[in-house]
Amino acid sequence: MARRLSSPSPSPVTITISPTAKDGSGRRAALRKSTGLTSPVPRHSTASPHSSSRRDRYLSASETDTSSDFVHYTVHIPPTPDHPAATGNAAPALSTESIPGPDRSFISGTIFTGGLNCVTRARHVLGSTSDTAKSNGLNCKMQGCDGTPFRIDNRAKAPCECGFVICKDCYMECLSTSSTCPGCKEPYQASLSDESEVEEDEEEEEEEGRDRVLPLTSMVWSVKVPSSKPAEFDHSRWLFETKGTYGYGNALWPKDGGRKGNNNVGVHGGFEGFEEPPNFGAKCRRPLTRKIGVSQAILSPYRLLIAIRLVALGFFLTWRIRHPNWEAAWLWGMSVTCEIWFAFSWLLDQLPKLCPVNRATDLTVLKERYESPTVRNPKGRSDLPGMDVFVSTADPEKEPPLVTANTILSILAVDYPVEKLACYLSDDGGALLTFEALAETASFARTWVPFCCKHDIEPRNPEAYFGQKRDFLKNKVRLDFVRERRKVKREYDEFKVRINSLPDSIRRRSDAYNAHDELVARKKMEENGENVGDAKFVRATWMADGSHWPGTWLTAGPDHSRGDHAGIIQVMLAPPPSEPVMGGDSLPETANCCIDTRGIDTRLPMLVYVSREKRPGYDHNKKAGAMNALVRTSAVMSNGPFILNLDCDHYVANSVALREGLCFMLDRGGDRVCYVQFPQRFEGIDPSDRYANHNLVFFDVTMRAMDGLQGPMYVGTGCIFRRTALYGFNPPRATEHSGWFGRRKIKLFFKRQETMGKKHDRKREHDVMIPSVQDGAAGSGDCTEDDDIESAALLPKRFGSSASLAASIPVAEFQGRLLQDLPGTQQGRPSGALTDCSTRAIGCCHCC
Ligand SMILES: O=c1ccn([C@@H]2O[C@H](COP(=O)(O)OP(=O)(O)O[C@H]3O[C@H](CO)[C@@H](O)[C@H](O)[C@H]3O)[C@@H](O)[C@H]2O)c(=O)[nH]1
Ligand SMILES: [Mn+2]
């Protein structure tokens, strides 16, 4: 039984399927439920008359446990703008009301497809993209008003510290009535009477506002940042050129030591007339990482053993050569050659291992340096750089979607500032199954992630966590832990059932739609008097909203087969707001009924589904190609300066791993680090490791030993990269060998060879300079005009003609710098930057 396509209404389709799915505990999966299969919004917002309450669901699960041999699966088909619901119907599944402002365009603007042979499509979003401010949710937030907010430099700006966006009329009204911000109920800082004043005084207001919220009031009054508009001032250059310092002791610091009076001058002061700075940074000067030598007790015997073996080997080879066997000379010759070769290769293998190193990170220092309140960052907002996590999957049959889903969940739940994290799934199979599994994952993440954060769950892969044999109560202090764990486990079991029944439900849905289409086509042909017998009908794969899946079809069709389909991008979870959204304050739709999220930040990181375009005749380069596509897509969407890649069958086993990786990147000298490789640990294989499947020698010995030399190698996955290194730019300070004796430090980043002889031409092509971010995408502060033109001309040659991609490069470089003390840092591309450029970035010829 299927709903007719021609009369779209959000009534669910009940499909009866044979009971194939079993959940983890072996219990027969017999659940009656309503699922909005492609809806990344919380499941309970898809409320329909058919969906029972949660408690009922559990009850019905146990009731039908033994009695039913069939699963009643209710597929809720959400209405969409192209298939609008009949008026007066129940609330649409993709209820925009349930999503706070900025998220709207991402949730309703679902799928982006496009590429070489087809125009870029952005379905469902047409209405909201017409007005950028609207699509970003940046219109006036007053109830019943959607006026244009204050604009400064084309950016909407809130007149209040709390970020409540408001239009001019409403602002004036508020001022005249209560003078308080309708968002935070705090009084507005300055009352402004007319429009010009509003615009002109914005900067001053900003400064006043900054002073107001600073807790360190005694210090702040005299610290004047040299420029009122920080983005235009290059602080690092200023520091470098003037040898100035900020804060205590700088040129602007008063000699008399400020309000408190100064009794210390001349006593502690290093320079006459300047106050000795208090020791603020004693802790922050501590390094983020430490190199720990391997204990001599282990190394010395090991080295001795190698020396003894070497000597023995020497004696043996000498003896061998001195005692030739002339009766079988060729045999003797062969063995000697082979033995010498083996000895040599053994030596090559041993020598690098003489000096292995361990490294340790200090996460408390990272927290102090980047996440504690400072003068410039009074709220202690995280200053960590953005991080994009890439997961690749290729075939939903060989790589089960449940495994991929668990990987994604472990990423979404990592301990990293949510607004700085973005997760991308590359689906090389272009399969609707992976797509819908990801939508389900996004939905389950709303329960799983707050649960992990609340109770410090480790590991944050639900399958691994619930499968643990050890006592789960260890180190758990919260009283509601046991109850919530039980609930979440049950949710997870249901989630597994849903994922495992997806192949069936997709097939059945498609069959129903196809049968209906075929019937209509047959009728038409009969009416026209055509021969129906030998007609062939296209068997499409249908999405839950009643449209064709743009990727690979179950029965391959033209333009929908493996290796021949359009590119697809779908944002499953919109970029989160920058302020924490505590569970208790959230709207009832987003409230989590499974666990008590009061006081827990319920935001989730951005999650994007990407399936790159594939066309015959192009080499897609397997995983490398998928990674390239993700690098370009993420550049125009979130542009995290660091990238972590994982296979779909891996997961983040330690929730602070990302932070630990970044310690190496952000430590002193870290700007020379291009990537940080994590070791891999394996599960589900022989625990006694009889066949060395755990790869311990490789990850725990060889890689550490290589680290002691020049650094470990990239093993193809589980690696944090510096984005600009992937673009092929040289690190800011490359340490290069110049000959055998010693090293030479060269500065390649912003400097170029003065001489422009022919010899340099080839080199120049590889050392493309990253244009300075202060001067926009095409200009460089240190370079002449000629250089600008040259680098601007080289960028499209290497990265295609996408202006957004080119513009994202210097931003990524800027944000990846060591200290985030550069003001005005734009955190990634604005969330509304999802344009047709990102679909062109996943095009197979990459000629956007
Ligand atoms: O066309 C393809 C083929 C593969 N993959 C992905 O690449 C990853 C690795 O492929 P797999 O066949 O599983 O290789 P393995 O031998 O299991 O993986 C190891 O070896 C690979 C190189 O041989 C590395 O890329 C992997 O990171 C490393 O884990 C998987 O996530 C796949 O989904 C794609 O995205 N597109
Ligand atoms: Mn693999």
Side-chain angles (χ1 to χ4, degrees):
M1 182 184 87
R3 191 171 56 76
R4 288 170 66 89
L5 178 65
S6 46
S7 58
S9 74
S11 64
V13 177
T14 305
I15 297 170
T16 308
I17 54 174
S18 355
T20 45
K22 283 193 169 195
D23 70 4
S25 58
R27 170 168 69 99
R28 174 74 34 103
L31 306 171
R32 182 187 290 265
K33 68 177 65 161
S34 163
T35 52
L37 285 177
T38 56
S39 155
V41 294
R43 187 149 308 287
H44 39 280
S45 74
T46 65
S48 77
H50 293 254
S51 68
S52 42
S53 75
R54 265 165 200 255
R55 195 176 302 144
D56 291 349
R57 255 163 60 189
Y58 300 136
L59 283 177
S60 75
S62 51
E63 273 165 20
T64 49
D65 221 354
T66 47
S67 60
S68 169
D69 264 340
F70 292 93
V71 178
H72 290 283
Y73 206 87
T74 309
V75 181
H76 187 86
I77 299 180
T80 61
D82 15 359
H83 299 273
T87 46
N89 251 322
L94 297 176
S95 155
T96 46
E97 256 63 62
S98 64
I99 312 299
D103 300 359
R104 243 183 255 169
S105 69
F106 284 91
I107 299 303
S108 61
T110 54
I111 224 169
F112 286 76
T113 69
L116 191 64
N117 295 345
C118 43
V119 280
T120 298
R121 283 191 313 142
R123 289 196 300 115
H124 311 177
V125 81
L126 296 172
S128 51
T129 42
S130 54
D131 178 353
T132 357
K134 264 192 178 174
S135 78
N136 291 343
L138 287 177
N139 35 358
C140 176
K141 284 189 183 167
M142 286 293 276
Q143 199 90 40
C145 174
D146 58 356
T148 325
F150 287 143
R151 306 210 134 256
I152 294 234
D153 297 343
N154 266 344
R155 273 175 36 218
K157 201 116 204 213
C160 178
E161 205 55 48
C162 73
F164 188 86
V165 178
I166 190 169
C167 70
K168 202 186 99 218
D169 293 338
C170 294
Y171 176 63
M172 291 303 174
E173 208 175 300
C174 289
L175 280 185
S176 59
T177 51
S178 59
S179 291
T180 55
C181 164
C184 60
K185 309 280 184 260
E186 290 284 318
Y188 273 122
Q189 265 307 289
S191 46
L192 306 163
S193 54
D194 67 58
E195 188 187 357
S196 58
E197 230 178 318
V198 171
E199 309 255 313
E200 279 164 21
D201 292 358
E202 192 72 31
E203 286 169 20
E204 278 172 40
E205 199 186 358
E206 214 177 280
E207 254 190 33
E208 279 174 28
R210 205 181 300 142
D211 284 1
R212 183 170 62 93
V213 289
L214 287 175
L216 306 167
T217 38
S218 60
M219 274 178 56
V220 166
W221 65 273
S222 62
V223 179
K224 279 262 181 265
V225 180
S227 160
S228 56
K229 190 109 194 268
E232 285 165 7
F233 188 80
D234 184 350
H235 288 244
S236 50
R237 208 163 131 192
W238 178 78
L239 279 171
F240 178 73
E241 282 168 7
T242 63
K243 300 210 166 30
T245 52
Y246 290 136
Y248 279 85
N250 79 10
L252 299 164
W253 193 258
K255 286 184 180 187
D256 62 5
R259 282 175 189 166
K260 291 184 228 153
N262 185 6
N263 312 323
N264 303 342
V265 178
V267 181
H268 302 290
F271 299 98
E272 210 182 316
F274 285 93
E275 193 184 1
E276 178 76 359
N279 199 4
F280 284 134
K283 276 186 176 170
C284 289
R285 274 201 293 272
R286 274 164 32 207
L288 288 167
T289 61
R290 269 172 308 129
K291 210 177 190 176
I292 307 167
V294 177
S295 142
Q296 285 301 320
I298 298 173
L299 265 191
S300 302
Y302 178 69
R303 287 177 180 156
L304 189 70
L305 195 70
I306 290 181
I308 294 171
R309 275 181 153 186
L310 199 62
V311 172
L313 207 60
F315 278 128
F316 172 73
L317 290 176
T318 324
W319 174 83
R320 206 77 159 100
I321 293 164
R322 282 182 160 199
H323 294 80
N325 183 350
W326 296 120
E327 282 171 19
W330 63 273
L331 203 59
W332 171 81
M334 284 274 276
S335 346
V336 169
T337 317
C338 291
E339 277 157 5
I340 291 178
W341 174 250
F342 278 135
F344 180 61
S345 73
W346 174 80
L347 202 64
L348 284 187
D349 196 34
Q350 294 305 314
L351 287 182
K353 289 183 188 160
L354 288 177
C355 242
V357 289
N358 276 323
R359 288 183 193 272
T361 55
D362 194 341
L363 292 180
T364 50
V365 178
L366 188 77
K367 205 164 182 69
E368 268 165 33
R369 218 182 268 185
Y370 293 95
E371 296 185 310
S372 45
T374 60
V375 179
R376 274 196 33 251
N377 179 14
K379 287 184 184 167
R381 280 227 196 105
S382 175
D383 226 354
L384 286 171
M387 174 83 87
D388 293 341
V389 186
F390 297 169
V391 179
S392 58
T393 181
D395 186 343
E397 276 163 29
K398 291 186 194 136
E399 301 166 331
L402 186 61
V403 175
T404 312
N406 274 304
T407 306
I408 300 283
L409 286 170
S410 79
I411 295 167
L412 296 182
V414 292
D415 178 11
Y416 201 76
V418 176
E419 68 278 13
K420 305 291 178 78
L421 191 67
C423 178
Y424 295 82
L425 174 70
S426 154
D427 178 19
D428 262 357
L432 181 55
L433 175 56
T434 313
F435 179 87
E436 297 202 347
L438 193 66
E440 288 289 350
T441 310
S443 175
F444 178 64
R446 289 184 193 279
T447 304
W448 177 248
V449 174
F451 172 67
C452 286
C453 298
K454 186 174 175 186
H455 299 292
D456 285 333
I457 298 301
E458 216 58 75
R460 297 191 175 181
N461 167 338
E463 189 68 37
Y465 172 67
F466 290 120
Q468 270 176 336
K469 297 276 181 291
R470 64 185 184 82
D471 175 21
F472 63 82
L473 283 176
K474 209 174 154 195
N475 302 332
K476 295 288 175 273
V477 284
R478 281 184 182 253
L479 291 174
D480 49 2
F481 172 64
V482 176
R483 187 165 43 86
E484 293 190 346
R485 183 184 189 272
R486 196 177 308 130
K487 276 189 181 174
V488 172
K489 181 158 187 343
R490 197 178 301 196
E491 278 286 308
Y492 176 63
D493 286 342
E494 287 191 18
F495 166 73
K496 282 207 288 196
V497 173
R498 285 200 298 272
I499 296 265
N500 288 335
S501 63
L502 276 179
D504 256 337
S505 66
I506 291 174
R507 194 156 30 80
R508 270 155 203 279
R509 182 203 306 149
S510 299
D511 285 350
Y513 274 121
N514 285 330
H516 170 255
D517 267 12
E518 206 175 311
L519 207 71
V520 173
R522 267 176 203 279
K523 255 190 192 159
K524 217 172 189 180
M525 284 174 85
E526 273 170 15
E527 278 168 17
N528 295 348
E530 290 169 44
N531 185 7
V532 183
D534 45 286
K536 277 199 171 161
F537 299 99
V538 180
R539 296 187 60 73
T541 299
W542 294 78
M543 295 173 73
D545 66 355
S547 56
H548 284 185
W549 168 243
T552 314
W553 285 354
L554 297 172
T555 324
D559 225 24
H560 293 285
S561 60
R562 273 184 170 276
D564 186 11
H565 63 83
I568 309 165
I569 293 182
Q570 157 99 51
V571 179
M572 294 282 179
L573 290 171
S578 54
E579 293 289 341
V581 180
M582 293 309 172
D585 324 335
S586 64
L587 301 166
E589 286 91 339
T590 53
N592 200 318
C593 60
C594 200
I595 60 168
D596 178 10
T597 51
R598 264 174 299 166
I600 306 286
D601 189 0
T602 53
R603 291 175 302 162
L604 293 178
M606 175 161 144
L607 175 64
V608 186
Y609 170 89
V610 178
S611 180
R612 64 190 162 131
E613 185 190 16
K614 289 205 169 164
R615 297 294 174 204
Y618 289 92
D619 192 348
H620 300 299
N621 293 314
K622 298 203 156 51
K623 182 180 175 183
M627 289 294 121
N628 269 334
L630 285 188
V631 167
R632 293 193 298 268
T633 313
S634 60
V636 291
M637 291 180 77
S638 54
N639 202 24
F642 297 98
I643 292 171
L644 167 69
N645 71 345
L646 291 173
D647 287 359
C648 58
D649 49 1
H650 297 176
Y651 67 88
V652 183
N654 170 6
S655 62
V656 291
L658 264 56
R659 287 170 181 268
E660 296 203 347
L662 272 190
C663 282
F664 295 101
M665 295 287 196
L666 300 175
D667 204 5
R668 193 194 293 165
D671 51 352
R672 277 177 289 163
V673 178
C674 288
Y675 65 84
V676 176
Q677 174 69 56
F678 287 98
Q680 292 179 20
R681 303 289 176 226
F682 302 87
E683 270 173 10
I685 50 176
D686 178 16
S688 53
D689 203 15
R690 274 167 294 186
Y691 309 107
N693 283 335
H694 285 273
N695 264 344
L696 286 180
V697 174
F698 177 72
F699 284 112
D700 291 338
V701 182
T702 310
M703 292 289 262
R704 282 179 214 266
M706 288 171 77
D707 193 8
L709 294 175
Q710 272 193 308
M713 60 183 167
Y714 170 52
V715 296
T717 185
C719 189
I720 294 186
F721 289 98
R722 184 180 295 279
R723 184 181 280 274
T724 46
L726 286 181
Y727 290 158
F729 294 108
N730 278 315
R733 287 180 295 121
T735 306
E736 294 207 339
H737 288 282
S738 61
W740 286 91
F741 305 102
R743 293 167 163 200
R744 176 170 62 102
K745 285 196 175 176
I746 53 170
K747 210 162 187 203
L748 288 173
F749 213 48
F750 290 113
K751 271 207 170 150
R752 293 228 349 236
Q753 277 87 354
E754 308 281 287
T755 46
M756 292 241 198
K758 274 194 174 168
K759 222 172 113 191
H760 296 285
D761 280 358
R762 198 155 40 98
K763 190 169 182 352
R764 217 183 308 146
E765 196 160 307
H766 297 289
D767 290 347
V768 183
M769 287 163 302
I770 300 181
S772 159
V773 74
Q774 277 86 9
D775 300 349
S780 166
D782 292 355
C783 296
T784 62
E785 213 170 280
D786 280 356
D787 295 336
D788 293 353
I789 296 163
E790 208 175 324
S791 67
L794 280 173
L795 279 176
K797 202 172 148 198
R798 290 181 63 169
F799 301 104
S801 56
S802 160
S804 311
L805 185 59
S808 76
I809 296 171
V811 178
E813 187 278 324
F814 182 73
Q815 291 181 11
R817 286 192 204 169
L818 276 192
L819 280 173
Q820 306 294 297
D821 57 2
L822 301 157
T825 311
Q826 242 182 301
Q827 303 298 352
R829 309 295 299 160
S831 51
L834 177 64
T835 59
D836 69 341
C837 191
S838 37
T839 45
R840 277 191 271 158
I842 53 166
C844 55
C845 69
H846 169 222
C847 50
C848 55

